[in-house]
Amino acid sequence: MKFTHTFKTHTPNGSVVNAEIWLDPDTSWGGGYEIWDEATGGNRIYVEGVLETEDSSDGDGNEGVVLTGYDGCFELPEYITDALEKKGVIIDL
């Protein structure tokens, strides 16, 4: 499974943030994410990190990916895990 998904969302304090998630099985870690506030272009809020994934394909042509870890922030925002789930990624943190 390989994709890039960019979207906008709001933080609990009401700031509009842009977020981008990507998965690429050709990398050693599996994917990544980037988050930045829209008002300042990332000068006030900016986070990037790694999404650690494992292939869970069944060998019968059914692709699958499991998120097993992350790096770059203390807690991965819920809007990132929600977006990954909507793309079919299984969250196993």
Side-chain angles (χ1 to χ4, degrees):
M1 178 184 296
K2 184 175 184 174
F3 69 83
T4 299
H5 177 59
T6 304
F7 60 96
K8 291 183 183 187
T9 190
H10 294 83
T11 63
N13 70 0
S15 297
V16 177
V17 294
N18 295 291
E20 183 172 83
I21 55 175
W22 63 92
L23 292 185
D24 186 348
D26 297 329
T27 63
S28 60
W29 56 86
Y33 63 94
E34 186 174 19
I35 303 163
W36 65 97
D37 69 289
E38 189 165 88
T40 69
N43 287 327
R44 193 168 58 87
I45 300 171
Y46 183 80
V47 180
E48 68 178 322
V50 169
L51 298 172
E52 300 165 353
T53 63
E54 291 182 4
D55 183 4
S56 66
S57 300
D58 64 8
D60 291 327
N62 298 312
E63 291 186 357
V65 174
V66 178
L67 178 67
T68 58
Y70 61 91
D71 195 12
C73 62
F74 179 73
E75 184 174 345
L76 198 59
E78 188 173 346
Y79 54 83
I80 296 291
T81 55
D82 288 348
L84 288 167
E85 285 183 319
K86 286 179 183 173
K87 290 288 190 179
V89 177
I90 298 166
I91 309 300
D92 187 21
L93 298 173

